[in-house]
C-alpha cells in the first residue's frame, strides 16, 4: 500500500516552520494515541503514521531528502522507523512527555481498575423546598454490574479464562527493526482488547459485557438553604466502574422555581406589600406573608412608599451554619384610581386644611397624590 504524503498526514503545508510541524504533531498524536482510543483499534495505525511523518519532517536533513525524492529516500531502510526513537524533534518521547510525564515504552502501563463515569441530573424544586430542604426520589438510567454474573461477563457456573496471547496482562510486545536498531514496543492485546481475560461462555443476561443498563431509583436529600445553580454530589451513584473500579458519582444540579411573592438575595428574602394611603398616613397593623406563614407588622404613621421594614430571622436558613437570614418588606402605597364625589370632597378639604392650593385645571388631583407619596 502506498504511503500518504507526510505533510498531508500532519495537515501542514510544505513550507511549514519547525514549530508548526511540532504543534501539528502534538495535536494529531494526542488525537490518535491508542491509550485514549482503547475502543478504536484503527487509532494505533494512524498514530504510527503520524509518528513516522514527524520523525522525518522534524529532522532538517531527512526532511530535505524527503522533499527531493519523497518516500523513496527511505526505501529499504524501514521508513522512518514507525515507533523509532531517533529524529531531531523528539518524536515518540515527546508524546509520552505529554501523556505520561516521560514514561518510556508505548502502552507500558498494565490496565487496572477504572472509576465509572459521573452522571448529571437536573432537579427543579420550589422556593420553599430550597429554603427548608426536601427529600426527593429520582430515577437515574445508568450502567451497573450484571447481577447474574456479578460483572464477570461469564455465564453462571463458568468463569473467564486468562488470555493465552497476553498471559493475562492485557498487553503484548512487538519487535520492530528500525534504522536505529531493534525496538520492542508494547501495545494493547487485540485478542482480549486489554482485559487480560477471554469469556468463552457469555452470560445471557448481559451478553458477556458484565454490565446492564438499568433505571435506578435514588433518594436525594436536598439540604435547607440551597440556591439556584447549587450542585450536590451523591457518591458512588454514577456509572459502574471497569475491572473492579468503583462507580462514578451522581451530580444533582438544583433549579429553583420563581415565587409569586418572594425574591431572594443570598439568605435574605424580599417581598413587596401594598398598603392604602390612609394606612400610610394614619399608621396601622397589617398581616405580612412569610415563609413560615403570616405575621403581624406595624406600619408607622406617615410611612413613605418604598420604605423597607425588616422581619428578623424570617429569611433563608444558612446552608452551612446555624441561623437564618431576614425578610425585608418593601412598603408600596397604592393610590386609588376611582373616587366617589364624597371621597373627593373629603380629600380636597384635607388638602385645604393642610395649606395646599389645588387648581384642578393646572394639576390633576391624582398626580398630586402620587407626588406626595413618592410617585408610585
Amino acid at each position: 500500500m502506498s504511503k500518504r504524503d507526510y505533510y498531508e498526514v500532519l495537515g501542514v503545508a510544505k513550507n511549514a516552520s519547525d514549530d508548526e510541524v511540532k504543534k501539528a504533531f502534538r495535536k494529531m498524536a494526542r488525537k490518535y494515541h491508542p491509550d485514549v482510543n482503547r475502543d478504536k483499534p484503527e487509532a494505533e495505525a494512524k498514530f504510527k503514521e503520524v509518528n513516522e511523518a514527524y520523525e522525518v519532517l522534524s529532522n532538517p536533513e531527512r526532511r530535505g531528502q524527503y522533499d527531493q525524492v519523497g518516500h523513496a529516500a527511505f526505501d529499504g531502510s524501514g521508513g522512518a522507523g514507525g515507533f523509532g526513537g531517533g529524529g531531531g524533534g523528539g518524536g515518540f518521547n515527546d508524546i509520552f512527555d505529554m501523556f505520561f510525564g516521560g514514561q518510556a515504552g508505548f502502552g507500558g502501563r498494565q490496565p487496572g481498575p477504572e472509576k465509572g463515569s459521573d452522571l448529571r441530573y437536573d432537579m427543579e424544586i420550589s422556593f420553599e423546598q430550597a429554603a427548608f430542604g426536601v427529600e426527593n426520589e429520582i430515577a437515574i438510567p445508568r450502567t451497573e454490574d450484571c447481577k447474574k454474573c456479578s460483572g464477570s461477563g461469564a455465564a453462571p457456573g463458568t468463569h473467564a479464562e486468562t488470555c493465552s496471547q497476553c498471559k493475562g496482562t492485557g498487553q503484548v510486545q512487538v519487535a520492530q527493526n528500525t534504522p536505529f536498531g531493534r525496538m520492542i514496543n508494547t501495545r494493547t492485546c487485540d485478542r482480549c482488547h486489554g482485559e487480560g481475560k477471554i469469556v468463552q461462555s457469555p452470560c445471557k443476561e448481559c451478553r458477556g459485557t458484565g454490565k446492564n443498563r438499568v433505571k435506578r431509583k435514588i433518594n436525594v436529600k436536598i439540604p435547607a438553604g440551597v440556591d439556584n445553580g447549587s450542585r450536590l454530589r451523591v457518591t458512588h451513584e454514577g456509572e459502574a466502574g471497569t475491572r473492579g473500579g468503583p462507580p462514578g458519582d451522581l451530580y444533582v444540579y438544583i433549579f429553583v422555581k420563581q415565587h409569586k411573592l418572594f425574591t431572594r438575595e443570598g439568605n435574605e428574602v424580599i417581598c413587596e406589600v401594598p398598603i392604602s394611603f390612609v394606612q400610610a398616613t394614619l399608621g396601622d397593623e397589617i398581616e405580612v406573608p412569610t415563609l413560615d406563614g403570616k405575621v403581624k407588622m406595624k406600619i408607622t404613621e406617615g410611612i413613605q412608599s418604598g420604605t423597607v421594614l425588616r422581619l428578623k430571622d424570617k429569611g433563608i436558613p444558612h446552608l452551612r451554619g446555624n441561623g437564618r437570614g431576614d425578610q425585608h418588606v418593601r412598603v408600596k402605597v397604592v393610590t386609588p384610581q376611582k373616587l366617589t364625589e364624597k371621597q373627593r370632597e373629603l380629600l380636597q378639604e384635607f388638602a385645604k386644611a393642610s395649606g395646599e392650593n389645588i387648581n384642578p385645571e393646572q394639576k390633576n388631583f391624582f398626580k398630586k397624590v402620587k407626588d406626595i407619596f413618592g410617585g408610585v
Side-chain angles (χ1 to χ4, degrees), residues 173-206:
Q173 291 184 332
V174 179
Q176 186 175 15
N177 293 322
T178 75
F180 311 101
R182 185 176 176 83
M183 297 194 67
I184 297 178
N185 302 303
T186 305
R187 69 184 183 190
T188 301
C189 176
D190 56 5
R191 186 165 185 263
C192 66
H193 304 292
E195 296 296 326
K197 295 181 178 181
I198 300 292
V199 176
Q200 299 291 356
S201 301
C203 170
K204 293 182 179 180
E205 185 75 20
C206 64

Side-chain angles (χ1 to χ4, degrees), residues 53-66:
Y54 183 64
E55 290 291 348
V56 172
L57 300 186
S58 63
N59 184 298
E61 182 180 350
R62 302 179 78 187
R63 181 175 179 177
Q65 293 174 353
Y66 178 75

Side-chain angles (χ1 to χ4, degrees), residues 33 35-36 95-109:
H33 196 283
D35 274 14
V36 294
I95 198 62
F96 272 95
D97 286 341
M98 292 196 309
F99 282 96
F100 310 114
Q103 294 182 30
F106 162 50
R109 299 176 300 166

